[in-house]
Amino acid sequence: MTTLQDCIALDAADPLRELRDLFTLPQGVIYLDGNSLGPLPKAAPGRIAHAVQQEWGEGLIRSWNTAGWFELPQRLGDKIGTLVGARPGEVVATDSTSINLFKVLSAALSIAHADAPSRRTIVSERSNFPTDLYIAESLCRERGMTLRLVEADELGSAIDGRTAVLMLTHVNYRTGAMHDMRAVTAAAHAAGALVVWDLAHSAGAVEVDLHGAQADFAIGCGYKYLNGGPGAPAFVWAHPRHADRFWQPLAGWWSHAAPFAFTPDYRPAPGIARYLCGTQPILSMTALECGLDTVLAAQPHGGMQALRRKSLALTDLFIALVEERCGGQGLGLATPREHARRGSQVCLTRDEGAYAIVQALIARGVIGDFRAGRPDILRFGLTPLYLRFEDVWHAVEHLWQVLDAGEWRRDEFNRQHAVT
């Protein structure tokens, strides 16, 4: 059995251990929910205060030029691009994940229809994140198309001559299961379909190579593993072979080829800039840049490869300790054991009391989250930037105590909150 002293020794030998100091982490809290909201970078309050007091307060409208506000979507996009296998000038930070998905899925459907009008189906995983399915459903209703939902192991047979677009989240939000992006994209292309990837649970957590996979479109989130703050702007990428083929449907002035020419007609900007829309939320963009810099701080230590190695070691340890300490307590494992199929989270199942168990853990300072379904999920994100092996040991010890004492049965842990 792995001991606490073993974990402390692992932390002492961890080449990434100093990155924890980049974050504000509350005393007495073990944070296992960075896959929903990353913690506060220590640099963010001062940087945002500077943007408010100096750039906005003193620079006023001049700061669009003097403080580089206008270039923020591209500058942040290039930083994100280094984490997902995109090239300079191919990514922009903008809008929300849902809005960006609407843009790229619309463009992908237009391309597919132009190339093969008979392709009128979007295929996705039944357990894909709901907002992705809702956006796809709305587009299908608008265009008279069909959304076909299948289980993950049915994707290969579901893609056929009717498929216009395969839309998938790279790492499943409920289970942590990760698709083989290269293999799935190749199979879709062989069947004549385009692929849209949602990287919300991948960017900053696992290695992604969009160009290596020959992906078509990708979008992702700024407030999870990229630590950009609540509601942080998202990002969007289009492969250069597609970027200029069609307008995206939200043709706002920021995506115009010459926005300050103020012409009444729309001319789309070349490349990824046409996937912008309206004026950017500068304070949120400022916070996002601080979050991106925490991830990029791993580059001298091995970058995403080093983060991925530690992520796998942390999730391996969590799984092993749960099975050692909590056997016989009704917990199942939803997350794949195979490294190639696992994101940076561990998801446990339980037939009874999953929500209450998570609430009891939160009361003890171990913050994970709950996802309803069949079965219910206790979800724990293990972010290598700031999580220690010692934290994993203590988290599982708390889990065992909650289960062994039946602490989760208490009334206060069974009252549902608005956000679960």
Side-chain angles (χ1 to χ4, degrees), residues 287-362:
L288 174 58
E289 186 160 29
C290 293
L292 292 173
D293 288 343
T294 64
V295 185
L296 295 173
Q299 287 184 325
H301 308 282
M304 285 307 306
Q305 288 185 341
L307 289 171
R308 178 61 171 160
R309 283 194 299 271
K310 183 178 176 184
S311 166
L312 290 170
L314 289 167
T315 49
D316 279 342
L317 175 65
F318 190 93
I319 292 169
L321 288 174
V322 167
E323 293 180 342
E324 290 171 3
R325 297 287 289 138
C326 303
Q329 295 286 355
L331 295 174
L333 179 65
T335 303
R337 295 179 187 274
E338 302 95 320
H339 285 181
R341 296 188 57 234
R342 184 196 311 164
S344 197
Q345 65 193 63
V346 176
C347 300
L348 306 176
T349 63
R350 201 167 191 270
D351 292 334
E352 180 187 12
Y355 175 80
I357 293 167
V358 170
Q359 295 306 306
L361 286 170
I362 291 172

Side-chain angles (χ1 to χ4, degrees), residues 98 101-102 105 124 128-141 147 149 167 173:
S98 299
L101 178 61
F102 181 76
L105 188 54
S124 192
N128 200 352
F129 191 70
T131 197
D132 293 27
L133 302 182
Y134 303 158
I135 295 292
E137 182 179 4
S138 71
L139 278 168
C140 284
R141 289 172 62 89
L147 174 62
L149 302 181
M167 179 190 72
Y173 83 105

Side-chain angles (χ1 to χ4, degrees), residues 39-380:
L40 175 67
K42 286 181 179 177
R47 178 66 188 91
I48 295 168
H50 178 84
V52 171
Q53 295 165 3
Q54 277 74 45
E55 296 176 8
W56 178 15
E58 297 181 11
L60 296 168
I61 200 167
R62 295 170 293 184
S63 288
W64 285 105
N65 293 316
T66 60
W69 288 357
F70 189 76
E71 295 80 22
L72 270 174
Q74 288 81 6
R75 187 169 82 235
L76 272 58
D78 284 348
K79 290 187 175 187
I80 295 167
T82 66
L83 304 174
V84 298
R87 296 167 187 158
E90 291 183 354
V91 178
V92 285
T94 186
D95 296 323
S96 70
T97 309
S98 299
I99 291 172
N100 288 336
L101 178 61
F102 181 76
K103 296 173 191 173
V104 300
L105 188 54
S106 296
L109 291 173
S110 295
I111 292 170
H113 180 74
D115 292 343
S118 62
R119 293 180 178 270
R120 304 195 57 78
T121 300
I122 300 172
V123 172
S124 192
E125 194 173 353
R126 192 178 308 280
S127 62
N128 200 352
F129 191 70
T131 197
D132 293 27
L133 302 182
Y134 303 158
I135 295 292
E137 182 179 4
S138 71
L139 278 168
C140 284
R141 289 172 62 89
E142 177 184 305
R143 297 188 179 215
M145 301 181 71
T146 300
L147 174 62
R148 183 182 180 191
L149 302 181
V150 299
E151 303 303 325
D153 59 2
E154 299 171 335
L155 285 169
S157 59
I159 305 168
D160 56 26
R162 298 167 296 177
T163 307
V165 177
L166 173 64
M167 179 190 72
L168 291 175
T169 299
H170 184 219
V171 175
N172 186 282
Y173 83 105
R174 277 181 53 82
T175 66
M178 183 168 67
H179 290 287
D180 183 331
M181 182 181 288
R182 186 185 296 263
V184 170
T185 301
H189 287 175
L194 299 175
V195 187
V196 172
W197 288 102
D198 183 338
L199 305 180
H201 290 271
S202 304
V206 301
E207 294 176 271
V208 177
D209 185 0
L210 290 170
H211 272 285
Q214 284 293 303
D216 298 299
F217 295 92
I219 49 96
C221 177
Y223 55 78
K224 300 181 190 297
Y225 294 104
L226 298 183
N227 308 311
F235 65 90
V236 57
W237 171 84
H239 195 286
R241 66 175 175 262
H242 300 310
D244 291 325
R245 288 195 62 184
F246 281 91
W247 293 12
Q248 56 98 347
L250 302 177
W253 76 302
W254 271 65
S255 67
H256 194 282
F260 288 92
F262 298 116
T263 62
D265 63 307
Y266 179 74
R267 290 185 293 112
I272 196 63
R274 73 175 54 191
Y275 284 87
L276 298 170
C277 182
T279 307
Q280 303 302 313
I282 296 302
L283 300 182
S284 295
M285 299 283 274
T286 299
L288 174 58
E289 186 160 29
C290 293
L292 292 173
D293 288 343
T294 64
V295 185
L296 295 173
Q299 287 184 325
H301 308 282
M304 285 307 306
Q305 288 185 341
L307 289 171
R308 178 61 171 160
R309 283 194 299 271
K310 183 178 176 184
S311 166
L312 290 170
L314 289 167
T315 49
D316 279 342
L317 175 65
F318 190 93
I319 292 169
L321 288 174
V322 167
E323 293 180 342
E324 290 171 3
R325 297 287 289 138
C326 303
Q329 295 286 355
L331 295 174
L333 179 65
T335 303
R337 295 179 187 274
E338 302 95 320
H339 285 181
R341 296 188 57 234
R342 184 196 311 164
S344 197
Q345 65 193 63
V346 176
C347 300
L348 306 176
T349 63
R350 201 167 191 270
D351 292 334
E352 180 187 12
Y355 175 80
I357 293 167
V358 170
Q359 295 306 306
L361 286 170
I362 291 172
R364 287 169 164 261
V366 180
I367 301 179
D369 66 16
F370 164 83
R371 290 294 178 262
R374 297 183 180 178
D376 287 341
I377 296 285
L378 300 83
R379 191 175 71 158
F380 303 97

Side-chain angles (χ1 to χ4, degrees), residues 1-5 7 30 32 317-327 329 331 348 357 360-362 364-366 380 388-407:
M1 181 178 291
T2 303
T3 67
L4 176 57
Q5 290 305 312
C7 294
I30 299 173
L32 305 181
L317 175 65
F318 190 93
I319 292 169
L321 288 174
V322 167
E323 293 180 342
E324 290 171 3
R325 297 287 289 138
C326 303
Q329 295 286 355
L331 295 174
L348 306 176
I357 293 167
L361 286 170
I362 291 172
R364 287 169 164 261
V366 180
F380 303 97
R388 301 172 299 192
F389 293 93
E390 176 183 350
D391 297 327
V392 173
W393 193 93
H394 286 299
V396 176
E397 178 65 17
H398 281 291
L399 176 60
W400 175 79
Q401 291 177 15
V402 166
L403 293 168
D404 186 63
E407 191 173 311

